[in-house]
């Protein structure tokens, strides 16, 4: 898709802070995080939303989400994590390239605090990337375990 911002990020035509790339899936930081470490999981191939995403691709997105929740809770000490996908405009979808939000909840606040966002700063982004990078092998382990190596 020519003008899709997530396609442009995946093709390295737009900037993003990447956490992981592989198996046809990319993870990068949301530029308007709910809390520090708010990540988006996208397939490298363009699909509008979960309803038109092939099952195998959808399964990859959620396998990566599970790995990220494990990293956030077990390794980075996040007391809670939200995993959310907004399917369709009435559900709050703003970018029409399927994506799964993984939001560590350091401060809490439940559903009520999910909308208060600030713009990601470079310091915040690089600090979080440095903290999570040592554990991204866990994402690879999950994907290899479910889908086989290099798939
Ligand atoms: Zn796209």
């Amino acid at each position: 898709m020519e003008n899709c911002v997530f396609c442009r990020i995946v093709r390295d035509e737009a900037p993003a802070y990447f956490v992981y790339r592989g198996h046809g899936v990319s993870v990068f930081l949301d530029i308007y995080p709910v809390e520090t470490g708010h990540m988006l999981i996208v397939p490298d191939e363009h699909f509008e939303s979960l309803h038109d995403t092939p099952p195998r691709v959808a399964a990859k997105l959620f396998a990566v989400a599970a790995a990220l929740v494990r990293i956030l809770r077990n390794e980075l000490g996040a007391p809670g994590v939200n995993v959310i996908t907004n399917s369709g405009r009435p559900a709050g979808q703003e970018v029409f390239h399927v994506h799964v939000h993984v939001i560590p909840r350091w401060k809490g606040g439940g559903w009520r605090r999910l909308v208060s966002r600030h713009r990601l700063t470079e310091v915040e982004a690089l600090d979080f990337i440095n903290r999570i990078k040592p554990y991204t092998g866990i994402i690879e382990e999950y994907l290899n375990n479910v889908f086989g190596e290099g798939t």
Side-chain angles (χ1 to χ4, degrees), residues 49-123:
S49 184
L50 203 53
H51 71 282
D52 68 347
T53 299
R56 186 179 172 82
V57 176
K60 279 188 184 180
L61 300 180
F62 284 93
V64 172
L68 288 171
V69 173
R70 181 170 139 193
I71 293 167
L72 290 166
R73 297 213 55 193
N74 291 5
E75 309 299 341
L76 300 188
V81 182
N82 288 106
V83 175
I84 300 166
T85 188
N86 302 324
S87 184
R89 201 179 295 280
Q93 187 174 6
E94 291 171 352
V95 176
F96 290 86
H97 178 136
V98 64
H99 55 286
V100 177
H101 296 260
V102 175
I103 309 168
R105 304 304 297 274
W106 312 102
K107 294 175 268 187
W111 289 105
R112 193 170 302 170
R113 279 211 61 254
L114 276 171
V115 288
S116 61
R117 293 176 162 201
H118 63 280
R119 191 176 167 87
L120 182 69
T121 67
E122 181 158 21
V123 170

Side-chain angles (χ1 to χ4, degrees), residues 1 4-8 43-47 95-98:
M1 291 286 281
C4 169
V5 64
F6 289 170
C7 283
R8 293 183 61 231
D44 293 344
E45 195 177 342
H46 182 94
F47 303 101
V95 176
F96 290 86
H97 178 136
V98 64

